[in-house]
Amino acid sequence: MTKGSDLFVAALENEGVERIFGIPGEENLDIVESIRNSSIQLILTRHEQAAAFMAATYGRLTGKPGVCITTLGPGALNLTAGAAYALLGAMPMIMITGQKGILSSRQARFQIVDIVAAMKPLTKLSRQIVSPNMIPSLVREAFRVAQEERPGPVHLELPEDIAAAECEPLALVPTHPVELPVASAGALDRAADMIIQAQRPLLMFGAAASRPRSTSDIARFVLRTQIPYFTTQMGKGTVPGGTELYMGTAALSERDYVHEAIEQADLIITIGHDTIEKPPFIMGAKGPKVIHVGYQSADVEQVYFPQAEIVGDLGPSLALLADRIEGKIPNAGALLPLREGILSRIAARATEDRFTPQRIVHDVRAVMPSDGILALDNGMYKIWFARNYRTRMANTLLLDNALATMGAGLPSAMAAALLYTQGRVMAICGDGGFMMNSQELETAVRLKLNLVVLLLEDHAYGMIRWKQAVDEFPDFGMTFGNPDFVKYAEAYGARGTRVTEVAALQPALEQAFAGGGVHLVVVPIDYSENTRVLVDELRARLPAPRTP
């Protein structure tokens, strides 16, 4: 005989699970004991939300579902932000929650919430396990659903009496590779004709282009076609930003400098675009034609309605498309003359002697190697890093432009540091977002992670405060006080440094990395550039006239 929890954990091992993030409770104790006797590492966090963010980021970086565990009721409900984060961000994740016994009811309704129902709109699949006999097939199905396109979270609820129940040993369901279909020949031929005939073609790489399975094929496609490209915020890094074909990143929906190229284009080939992102450009009746290249067909929106689609596995489909058009695109580089002007204006004032967003991005880029990973929380600085930070490898700038939740930056960086123990990993957080999960500094120290956290301090919810001012509302309800962050870090066993001189920022970051361990570096940030650049300059930039 075996126990339901032993069978469940064996099924997780069968799926290749190495780590489980979370906070177990009374209803998970059989599972905890089974994990103790397994090859799986239990990573105890200080809040369930952080566990979900870490599991989702593990899935984002590896392509394999990250796994997190909580108890019933309040613990399970604390996963909801992480579930939405993974659902909108297309990150494969398995959430395991406990529940009171379902074969008897010795505690009536104490702590009982219908978590299966609560999770249904936030997941691809939400199921309760009502018999140990279900475990092998349901775990296999959960991992399959979480990984298949479009990836996302799956929830399994394991009641305590099912976990404790004894049953006959059952065979686990073996895993097997699943190959995605490639695009049809007809769709490839139609798209090829449109690209060859285009006068000013432009490529765009979106969130789905950053899947680990596809990035090398995408880079080869750019080199074979020589068509210039731009990226969405979550598509950064899919092709090295140092290439001479990079035109910029669409951190805004319109009127930014990269939109000079978008406005001139007569054909945009969007690769991996997911409309969960804030629109990188807005389609209109007189705008360019669009070819949608994706794992799935396009979601038609008011601002996005492509005229042609290539649906299939991105890498092989793009290789087949390149076979049809390589060397046959007479106007491939028509938009390249705009490149220098776009990038030079974005990079302007990057070395001013002030703690401006441009200067902070410049100094961070200087200390991060090409494979260094930056994980951003959400705040005003995210727009500046999206516009100004040049990525050279895929998935080295982890930002969330889907749910765009605060509080995810530190846990996401911790997951990256667990995976990439030899590289540099940095979290960028505002003081508002950092304090939402700052207790995880203790987890990072306990795990002996090498992690630098750059904390941008303005004593306010800066993005909303800025928008409040732009909309000409009075300054109200957005400011707060902060602890002494250096002492705060030290209280958790981390190190802390406060930087007060601009010239000291780069040396402080270098010293933090050199020292190893967890190090919090605190700097003030001067957001006066928000209005000058993102309002005044861009309002003054009229859309470029379209070339006839």
Side-chain angles (χ1 to χ4, degrees), residues 155-236:
H155 166 241
L156 295 177
E157 180 179 85
L158 182 60
E160 60 180 336
D161 52 357
I162 305 302
E166 291 192 346
C167 62
E168 295 293 333
L170 296 172
L172 301 176
V173 180
T175 63
H176 62 275
V178 177
E179 301 298 332
L180 297 176
V182 297
S184 68
L188 291 164
D189 290 341
R190 283 190 295 274
D193 288 341
M194 292 174 68
I195 295 169
I196 290 168
Q197 294 173 23
Q199 298 300 304
R200 296 170 301 280
L202 185 63
L203 301 175
M204 187 203 82
F205 296 103
S210 64
R211 304 275 199 275
R213 62 183 292 154
S214 301
T215 53
S216 60
D217 293 310
I218 288 171
R220 281 194 290 271
F221 178 78
V222 172
L223 294 175
R224 291 180 67 183
T225 63
Q226 291 295 299
I227 300 173
Y229 70 92
F230 71 105
T231 76
T232 68
Q233 293 188 44
M234 293 180 74
K236 284 181 75 73

Side-chain angles (χ1 to χ4, degrees), residues 30-106:
D30 285 287
I31 286 282
V32 171
E33 177 62 12
S34 297
I35 292 171
R36 186 180 71 84
N37 292 304
S38 75
S39 62
I40 298 173
Q41 178 188 11
L42 176 62
I43 295 179
L44 190 69
T45 61
R46 303 307 299 268
H47 196 284
E48 294 89 352
Q49 186 185 93
F53 289 146
M54 292 180 75
T57 303
Y58 179 95
R60 177 179 185 173
L61 289 171
T62 66
K64 300 184 297 183
V67 181
C68 56
I69 188 170
T70 74
T71 187
L72 81 173
L77 289 171
N78 280 341
L79 292 179
T80 53
Y85 178 75
L87 183 68
L88 271 65
M91 306 174 199
M93 177 172 73
I94 306 293
M95 298 179 292
I96 303 162
T97 63
Q99 188 54 277
K100 298 292 184 186
I102 57 174
L103 302 180
S104 65
S105 182
R106 295 177 62 84

Side-chain angles (χ1 to χ4, degrees), residues 237-277:
T238 48
V239 178
T243 175
E244 294 303 311
L245 297 170
Y246 173 69
M247 302 289 283
T249 295
L252 307 174
S253 294
E254 57 187 347
R255 301 184 72 91
D256 205 350
Y257 295 117
V258 71
H259 290 92
E260 292 182 10
I262 295 169
E263 291 154 5
Q264 291 276 353
D266 67 334
L267 177 68
I268 299 178
I269 304 101
T270 66
I271 298 172
H273 181 43
D274 193 329
T275 54
I276 52 92
E277 285 206 72

Side-chain angles (χ1 to χ4, degrees), residues 466-480:
W466 170 66
K467 289 189 175 181
Q468 189 178 55
V470 169
D471 291 343
E472 299 181 352
F473 288 111
D475 186 352
F476 175 76
M478 302 298 167
T479 58
F480 48 73

Side-chain angles (χ1 to χ4, degrees), residues 9 43-44 118 134 139 147 192 214 251 261 285 329 348 443 464 506 508 523:
V9 171
I43 295 179
L44 190 69
M134 298 173 60
V139 170
Q147 282 185 275
S214 301
I329 315 170
T443 308
I464 309 306
Q506 274 193 51
V523 298

